Amino acid sequence: MDVSMIDVTGLPDAREGERVTLLGAQGRDVLTVHELASWADEIPYEIMCGISKRVPRR
């Protein structure tokens, strides 16, 4: 089962159903796998291996 939970407590404008980019680019904002791995105290390889084949890639 693929499950993710994102804490949006500090984002008062966040609404259910909004599109969220957790890795990559959205407009001028970019989140790299290296930055995400740093936040998770992991290495980038672990982040990439944890993304199921069922997740669409574009």
Side-chain angles (χ1 to χ4, degrees):
M1 176 185 277
D2 296 328
V3 176
S4 296
M5 183 179 297
I6 310 300
D7 182 1
V8 296
T9 305
L11 303 171
D13 294 333
R15 299 286 178 257
E16 185 176 334
E18 284 189 81
R19 180 176 291 204
V20 176
T21 301
L22 299 177
L23 184 61
Q26 183 173 344
R28 291 184 168 192
D29 296 322
V30 177
L31 179 59
T32 68
V33 67
H34 292 87
E35 188 173 7
L36 186 59
S38 173
W39 292 347
D41 198 26
E42 292 283 349
I43 60 173
Y45 179 80
E46 292 291 332
I47 298 293
M48 297 306 292
C49 287
I51 300 174
S52 166
K53 291 181 180 181
R54 291 185 298 266
V55 174
R57 278 121 170 108
R58 292 183 251 164

